[in-house]
């Protein structure tokens, strides 16, 4: 068997022909939009979506109504404004740009690594069983808490002494206790709450955590509709509270909240996995060799530039 050696010039010609043939076999990316000299191609759009939404299916993203057009417009605007900035002499040095690209690569790799670890930790997890366990353990988290519907009359203390405010609140309480008393009219006459002329002191329904503790404690302690509290002191002044009704807590059925519970559990696991990863990496970094003298010298050089 004989081996033929081709001249170097012929090799270059053959290589050029091969590249030319390859270029002909691969058509140029389809231009989707242009604005002056700025263009956005199919390739641009695919890579932009992959860059911005790495966790999403690019096909699903781009086929949603209006989303493709929005991304095209964003790319056109971004590139046009970048060209203008460059015309003004703005931009990064080659060295800074190269550093940022390396740093960005590191950040992308870490994000991908985190997603991989999270995905691995979630493999084989029986999410429905975990959701049922949490639902049974903390049913109050998956429904509406007990509420009251109440009204109040507020006597403020800003423009009167504490004793004067309490005396007036007690007077209002005594009038509200009288048979046939109209609490709404008393509120309009005495209350210094917001919009009392239009709401007559009505607060609507609220849970205990929506009001300051002394107010909630007094409101929820009232037993029957129409019951009225003695004056209650808060940072806003003195309140006389009337109960309209109690509303019992309502728990949603498991089927209605299963999806929400599973989502919470998955987010919690994600935070735990990433937290452990970063904590371990932070611990490992404490073993790094640190040149304290170099750091101090660098600090001094920075201070000297101020």
């Amino acid at each position: 068997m004989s081996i033929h050696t081709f001249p170097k010039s012929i090799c270059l010609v053959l290589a050029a022909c091969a590249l030319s043939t390859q270029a002909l076999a691969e058509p140029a990316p389809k231009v989707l939009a242009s604005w002056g000299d700025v263009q956005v191609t199919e390739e641009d759009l695919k890579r932009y979506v992959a860059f911005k939404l790495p966790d999403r299916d690019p096909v699903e993203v781009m086929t949603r109504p209006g989303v493709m057009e929005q991304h095209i417009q964003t790319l056109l605007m971004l590139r046009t404004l970048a060209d203008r900035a460059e015309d003004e002499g703005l931009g990064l040095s080659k060295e800074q740009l190269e550093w940022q690209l390396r740093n960005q690569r590191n950040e992308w790799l870490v994000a991908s690594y985190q997603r991989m670890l999270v995905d691995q930790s979630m493999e084989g997890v029986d999410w429905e069983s975990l959701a049922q366990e949490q639902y049974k353990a903390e049913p109050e988290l998956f429904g509406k808490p007990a509420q009251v519907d109440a009204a109040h009359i507020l006597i403020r203390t800003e423009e009167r002494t504490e004793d004067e405010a309490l005396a007036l609140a007690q007077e209002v309480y005594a009038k509200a206790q009288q048979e046939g008393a109209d609490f709404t009219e008393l509120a309009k006459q005495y209350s210094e709450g917001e919009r009392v002329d239009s709401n007559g002191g009505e607060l609507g329904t609220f849970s205990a955590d929506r009001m300051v503790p002394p107010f909630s404690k007094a409101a929820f302690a009232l037993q029957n509709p129409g019951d009225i509290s003695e004056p209650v002191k808060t940072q806003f002044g003195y309140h006389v509270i009337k109960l309209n009704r109690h509303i019992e807590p309502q728990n949603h059925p498991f089927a209605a909240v299963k999806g929400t519970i599973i989502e919470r559990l998955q987010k919690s696991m994600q935070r735990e996995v990433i937290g452990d990863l970063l904590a371990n990496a932070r611990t490992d970094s404490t073993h790094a060799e640190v040149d304290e003298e170099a750091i101090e010298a660098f600090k001094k050089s920075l201070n000297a530039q101020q």
Side-chain angles (χ1 to χ4, degrees):
M1 180 176 62
S2 61
I3 299 175
H4 298 282
T5 304
F6 292 98
K8 183 177 180 182
S9 58
I10 295 179
C11 292
L12 292 175
V13 170
L14 291 174
C17 290
L19 291 173
S20 177
T21 303
Q22 184 180 3
L24 290 174
E26 298 178 1
K30 177 67 175 177
V31 176
L32 301 177
S34 60
W35 185 10
D37 296 332
V38 177
Q39 294 181 337
V40 174
T41 67
E42 291 180 354
E43 184 74 9
D44 290 329
L45 196 58
K46 291 177 183 177
R47 294 191 179 279
Y48 180 73
V49 171
F51 169 64
K52 286 293 186 180
L53 303 168
D55 297 325
R56 301 282 297 278
D57 177 5
V59 175
E60 186 273 332
V61 171
M62 290 188 288
T63 53
R64 290 170 54 191
V67 172
M68 181 181 294
E69 290 78 6
Q70 180 182 354
H71 288 321
I72 290 173
Q73 185 179 26
T74 299
L75 278 171
L76 286 172
M77 179 182 65
L78 181 65
R79 290 179 173 179
T80 299
L81 294 178
D83 286 346
R84 293 180 186 175
E86 195 169 39
D87 291 342
E88 295 293 332
L90 303 175
L92 300 173
S93 67
K94 178 182 177 182
E95 294 76 14
Q96 181 66 23
L97 181 58
E98 289 176 350
W99 186 93
Q100 289 183 198
L101 287 174
R102 291 195 301 272
N103 188 70
Q104 185 68 69
R105 176 181 178 275
N106 292 340
E107 292 182 0
W108 288 335
L109 286 171
V110 170
S112 297
Y113 186 50
Q114 290 175 343
R115 287 194 296 272
M116 182 194 73
L117 293 178
V118 170
D119 291 342
Q120 290 176 348
S121 68
M122 292 186 178
E123 288 180 1
V125 176
D126 188 347
W127 294 108
E128 184 164 347
S129 295
L130 290 177
Q132 287 178 334
E133 290 177 10
Q134 186 170 12
Y135 179 80
K136 293 176 182 178
E138 302 175 291
E140 68 278 0
L141 297 179
F142 310 107
K144 290 184 178 180
Q147 295 179 302
V148 294
D149 183 334
H152 79 139
I153 296 171
L154 171 63
I155 306 299
R156 296 189 181 275
T157 56
E158 287 92 339
E159 297 181 1
R160 55 178 66 90
T161 65
E162 287 281 337
D163 290 341
E164 291 172 340
L166 177 58
L168 181 54
Q170 290 172 333
E171 178 185 338
V172 171
Y173 169 70
K175 290 183 177 182
Q177 291 282 62
Q178 295 176 0
E179 186 176 353
D182 188 329
F183 195 87
T184 299
E185 290 302 317
L186 287 173
K188 291 180 178 180
Q189 181 179 353
Y190 290 101
S191 182
E192 296 166 334
E194 295 180 356
R195 299 184 296 276
V196 66
D197 290 337
S198 60
N199 62 27
E202 294 291 340
L203 296 169
T205 60
F206 55 89
S207 55
D209 60 348
R210 295 293 301 277
M211 300 293 181
V212 293
F215 189 98
S216 288
K217 183 178 180 181
F220 278 80
L222 297 171
Q223 296 295 315
N224 302 306
D227 286 354
I228 297 172
S229 74
E230 294 187 12
V232 179
K233 179 69 168 65
T234 73
Q235 65 263 43
F236 304 105
Y238 286 93
H239 307 260
V240 177
I241 306 169
K242 176 189 173 185
L243 175 68
N244 295 326
R245 61 184 174 125
H246 276 282
I247 303 173
E248 295 299 319
Q250 300 175 353
N251 289 335
H252 296 306
F254 175 71
V257 297
K258 180 178 72 172
T260 300
I261 300 175
I262 289 176
E263 183 179 354
R264 290 179 180 178
L265 290 171
Q266 290 177 340
K267 288 183 177 179
S268 177
M269 179 176 286
Q270 178 179 348
R271 288 193 296 270
E272 183 178 351
V273 170
I274 294 176
D276 289 345
L277 172 66
L278 297 179
N280 291 333
R282 193 173 292 112
T283 300
D284 292 342
S285 68
T286 60
H287 302 298
E289 295 182 3
V290 179
D291 190 334
E292 298 291 349
E293 292 184 0
I295 292 175
E296 288 301 317
F298 184 48
K299 288 180 179 180
K300 289 180 180 180
S301 68
L302 293 176
N303 290 331
Q305 296 174 26
Q306 292 181 343

